[in-house]
């Protein structure tokens, strides 16, 4: 097997919002790891640009502290850290005014790969794009990276796409969804399309149903004001769960390149049927001894926003006709766990009769967190004497175990995606039409429950969500998988 590693060219990466939470927690610690493993070519620079009044030395100190707090053990590699801090620069900038832009123009080079990471509120995207253009900083090869939320409905997403399109071509725009940067998510494509075993079974003839769970234990925390206007549907389903659904359900692309993959994902979103109200369960976490209720957290005693949602979806095409896709996501749940489970049908006929243990099904579980990896439940004979007793066991491929030392190098989603931006590889980024199609599916569902004045069901913190979410599957004779942390 030939392994193809695309080299990274020397780059200038400008991080607008370089002093913000995301930059300090994820982007800079991730870049340091890439630097340490030799993936940042000599001469490359990372330029923080934000409102705070700092000079480059002040910024280096801030990032040193951020890496000490949010980085891993690599922080003890003092020599590499010192070298990394030297590649950092900082410019104080006002996205809405003229301050700092000429300085930035002097700093950013035109003869290297340019990437501009918009790690700021989406309301500033237009201002940044325009000034990059006006000050002659960007060129027709520059790349821009934009963060979620990409709009809050179809109209706002279309407006954002239009704003960015004024100055940048779609091939220059990288809409980031860090779920797509996870090792397992890419492995899902490798497993599906790199083996002869799975693809023949990947359809309504053999698959009973698919479950996608993204459970968090955290509350909305300090993001209450934002979250109350958003909710689990906008914050998680429209982007992350939808992307996972696309990858699991899409047809094989003709080859593994950005547009071929994204064309197939788009077809899945467009084939998603609308969801009937009785197939949607919305919930809000209650208070307990560990924390306040959702309504207290968002400081809105009449909030109808959901911190949990479960739904049963259908994809109207030949491959998936009749196969339910159950999605659920929520905050303050029993464990932090993200998983996709492909539950296969029962055997048509068992030669083992009603032997104990013979009720197992094949399940392919793809774990995004914790312990990224996959396992395949298979039925085998229980070892030892006493006749033909069957048991269901996992063929476990936890990456950390299966790949040994290599697993240490498993890059965090952000660092992998940033390196993809530098390489110019858009495969793991959402295209504008995908985002719009996802909103076009989401909007009527939200409008529906708003029109019905639907009140989310309360659920106990530390649980698997409201009881109605259990009934959603039980009615179909199925069960959710246990949420394991
Ligand atoms: P933050 O509030 O911590 O930081 C905002 C940054 O923007 C700061 O560096 C600030 O100086 C800069 N800024 C604000 N107004 C500016 C202006 N007028 N001119 C120049 N700079 C200005 O925000 P954050 O949490 O880092 O989030 C950044 C973006 O990433 C947001 O769009 C957010 O929704 C998104 N995001 C964040 C996270 C996360 O974990 N923090 C996760 C996903 C997406």
């Amino acid at each position: 097997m030939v392994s193809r590693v695309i080299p990274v060219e020397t780059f200038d990466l400008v991080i607008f919002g370089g002093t913000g939470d995301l930059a300090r927690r994820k982007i800079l610690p991730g870049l340091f790891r890439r630097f340490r493993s030799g993936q940042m070519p000599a001469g490359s620079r990372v330029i923080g640009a934000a409102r705070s009044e700092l000079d480059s030395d002040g910024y280096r100190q801030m990032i040193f502290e951020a890496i000490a707090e949010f980085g891993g053990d690599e922080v003890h590699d003092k020599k590499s850290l010192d070298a990394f801090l030297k590649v950092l620069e900082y410019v104080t900038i006002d996205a809405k005014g003229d301050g700092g832009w000429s300085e930035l123009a002097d700093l950013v080079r035109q003869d290297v790969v340019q990437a501009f990471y918009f790690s700021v509120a989406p309301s500033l995207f237009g201002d940044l794009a325009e000034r990059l253009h006006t000050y002659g900083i960007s060129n027709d090869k520059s790349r821009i990276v934009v963060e979620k939320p990409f709009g809050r409905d179809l109209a706002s997403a279309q407006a954002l796409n239009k704003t960015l399109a004024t100055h940048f071509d779609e091939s220059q725009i990288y809409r980031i969804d860090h779920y797509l940067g996870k090792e397992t998510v890419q492995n899902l494509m490798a497993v599906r399309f790199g083996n002869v075993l799975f693809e023949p079974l990947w359809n309504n003839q053999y698959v009973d149903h698919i479950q996608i769970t993204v459970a968090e234990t955290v509350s909305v925390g300090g993001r209450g004001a934002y979250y109350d206007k958003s909710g689990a549907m906008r914050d998680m389903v429209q982007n992350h769960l939808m992307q996972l659904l696309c990858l699991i359900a899409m047809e094989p692309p003709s080859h593994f390149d950005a547009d071929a993959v994204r064309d197939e994902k788009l077809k899945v979103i467009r084939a998603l049927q609308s969801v009937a109200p009785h197939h949607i369960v919305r919930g809000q976490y209650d208070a307990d001894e560990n924390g306040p209720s959702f309504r207290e957290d968002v400081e809105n005693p009449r909030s109808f926003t959901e911190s949990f949602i479960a739904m049963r979806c259908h994809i109207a095409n030949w491959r998936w006709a009749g196969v339910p896709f159950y999605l659920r996501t929520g905050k303050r749940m029993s464990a932090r766990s993200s998983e996709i489970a492909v539950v296969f049908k029962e055997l048509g006929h068992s030669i083992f009769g009603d032997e104990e243990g013979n009720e197992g099904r094949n399940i392919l579980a793809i774990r995004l967190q914790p312990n990224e990896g996959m396992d395949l439940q298979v039925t085998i004979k229980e070892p030892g004497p006493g006749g033909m007793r069957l048991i269901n066991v996992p063929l476990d491929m936890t990456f950390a175990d299966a790949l040994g030392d290599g697993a240490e190098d498993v890059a965090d989603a952000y660092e992998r995606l940033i390196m993809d931006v530098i390489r110019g590889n858009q495969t793991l980024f959402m295209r504008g039409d995908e985002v719009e199609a996802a909103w076009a599916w989401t909007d009527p569902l939200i409008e529906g429950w708003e029109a019905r004045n639907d009140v989310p069901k309360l659920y106990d913190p530390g649980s698997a969500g409201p009881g109605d979410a259990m009934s959603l599957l039980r009615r179909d004779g199925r069960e959710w998988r246990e949420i394991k942390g």
Side-chain angles (χ1 to χ4, degrees):
M1 174 98 59
V2 183
S3 86
R4 211 160 40 103
V5 178
I6 304 164
V8 178
E9 289 175 46
T10 304
F11 62 84
D12 275 351
L13 168 64
V14 178
I15 305 173
F16 292 110
T19 58
D21 175 70
L22 183 66
R24 284 181 296 110
R25 236 165 13 90
K26 289 285 180 190
I27 304 174
L28 271 310
L31 283 167
F32 174 48
R33 278 193 291 275
R34 292 298 92 197
F35 178 86
R36 233 185 124 225
S37 54
Q39 286 188 22
M40 200 184 280
S44 299
R45 290 181 314 183
V46 177
I47 303 164
R51 232 176 357 188
S52 323
E53 297 283 345
L54 282 174
D55 58 12
S56 290
D57 278 338
Y59 189 58
R60 289 180 190 122
Q61 179 60 29
M62 173 188 268
I63 299 310
F64 168 75
E65 287 163 17
I67 292 174
E69 187 175 353
F70 303 114
D73 286 343
E74 61 272 11
V75 68
H76 302 300
D77 180 356
K78 181 100 182 49
K79 202 166 146 227
S80 295
L81 186 51
D82 285 346
F84 175 68
L85 293 174
K86 288 202 179 89
V87 310
L88 303 185
E89 302 285 344
Y90 183 79
V91 182
T92 302
I93 211 146
D94 178 7
K96 288 185 164 297
D98 293 320
W101 286 95
S102 305
E103 264 178 274
L104 188 66
D106 290 343
L107 204 56
V108 177
R109 295 166 291 180
Q110 294 297 326
D111 56 349
V112 298
V113 171
Q114 289 184 344
F116 301 98
Y117 199 130
F118 290 8
S119 182
V120 295
S123 56
L124 296 178
F125 289 179
D127 296 299
L128 293 178
E130 194 178 318
R131 282 172 179 74
L132 280 173
H133 185 74
T134 314
Y135 282 85
I137 303 173
S138 55
N139 57 49
D140 59 8
K141 293 202 183 60
S142 317
R143 289 144 203 177
I144 59 167
V145 185
V146 294
E147 267 296 338
K148 82 167 207 186
F150 201 84
R152 67 179 319 276
D153 53 20
L154 178 58
S156 54
Q158 283 172 329
L160 266 182
N161 275 336
K162 209 165 145 211
T163 303
L164 296 178
T166 315
H167 298 297
F168 296 96
D169 184 70
E170 181 63 34
S171 62
Q172 298 179 276
I173 303 172
Y174 292 71
R175 295 175 194 78
I176 210 161
D177 181 330
H178 66 273
Y179 272 67
L180 295 187
K182 290 198 175 281
E183 188 70 25
T184 353
V185 170
Q186 291 168 73
N187 229 319
L188 170 60
M189 288 189 274
V191 165
R192 265 192 78 184
F193 304 129
N195 293 288
V196 74
L197 282 180
F198 294 104
E199 203 43 34
L201 308 181
W202 215 260
N203 55 51
N204 60 1
Q205 207 183 334
Y206 295 101
V207 174
D208 179 73
H209 72 279
I210 290 177
Q211 300 186 11
I212 303 179
T213 296
V214 177
E216 299 178 289
T217 50
V218 292
S219 66
V220 296
R223 296 166 69 220
Y226 156 78
Y227 199 93
D228 195 28
K229 293 203 191 71
S230 163
M233 183 70 159
R234 288 191 171 98
D235 193 50
M236 297 298 289
V237 177
Q238 185 273 344
N239 38 57
H240 305 316
L241 277 83
M242 189 84 93
Q243 288 295 319
L244 300 180
L245 174 80
C246 285
L247 292 177
I248 203 105
M250 71 182 184
E251 295 299 314
S254 57
H255 45 288
F256 189 60
D257 89 3
D259 275 325
V261 170
R262 299 187 301 177
D263 285 347
E264 295 307 333
K265 282 162 56 194
L266 179 62
K267 285 185 207 159
V268 174
I269 304 176
R270 291 197 171 144
L272 264 176
Q273 290 180 328
S274 189
V275 185
H278 64 283
H279 286 153
I280 303 176
V281 178
R282 296 164 66 240
Q284 278 180 350
Y285 56 81
D286 206 346
D288 72 353
E289 63 283 3
N290 297 318
S293 69
F294 176 78
R295 288 183 172 191
E296 287 161 334
D297 269 340
V298 301
E299 295 175 11
N300 178 2
R302 292 192 44 76
S303 173
F304 283 179
T305 306
E306 74 285 351
S307 63
F308 171 95
I309 189 164
M311 56 210 301
R312 174 182 145 158
C313 307
H314 282 276
I315 298 171
N317 63 21
W318 274 37
R319 184 187 286 264
W320 296 117
V323 179
F325 286 72
Y326 299 101
L327 315 184
R328 70 176 160 172
T329 180
K331 296 206 175 284
R332 292 219 67 195
M333 297 182 67
S334 53
R336 177 167 180 258
S337 166
S338 302
E339 181 194 82
I340 306 169
V342 181
V343 182
F344 291 92
K345 290 190 173 169
E346 283 175 347
L347 286 176
H349 164 74
S350 170
I351 63 165
F352 303 110
D354 295 332
E355 281 297 330
E356 194 188 334
N358 191 22
E359 68 283 354
R361 285 167 184 256
N362 295 122
I363 300 175
L364 178 68
I366 301 134
R367 291 188 307 274
L368 278 71
Q369 65 193 17
N371 308 327
E372 274 194 80
M374 305 193 188
D375 69 54
L376 178 65
Q377 291 283 336
V378 291
T379 299
I380 60 165
K381 176 189 169 297
E382 191 176 341
M388 196 66 171
R389 289 190 315 275
L390 303 179
I391 50 170
N392 226 244
V393 294
L395 281 178
D396 189 348
M397 197 181 65
T398 301
F399 294 156
D401 300 341
L403 305 178
D405 292 345
E408 275 179 26
D409 252 356
V410 172
D412 178 64
Y414 271 98
E415 54 192 272
R416 177 198 316 283
L417 292 172
I418 293 169
M419 286 301 142
D420 274 359
V421 174
I422 307 293
R423 290 193 183 95
N425 181 357
Q426 289 186 302
T427 312
L428 299 174
F429 296 83
M430 294 177 292
R431 210 168 51 192
D433 51 2
E434 263 183 86
V435 176
E436 290 184 13
W439 281 121
W441 177 78
T442 312
D443 278 1
L445 302 180
I446 297 177
E447 284 159 14
W449 70 60
E450 284 177 353
R452 293 192 300 277
N453 280 328
D454 181 75
V455 184
K457 305 277 183 311
L458 278 182
Y459 61 94
D460 291 331
S463 71
D468 286 15
M470 308 301 140
S471 314
L472 183 69
L473 268 73
R474 279 195 192 133
R475 282 203 301 258
D476 297 344
R478 302 183 173 104
E479 291 285 341
W480 285 109
R481 281 165 59 82
E482 189 189 340
I483 300 173
K484 284 195 209 136

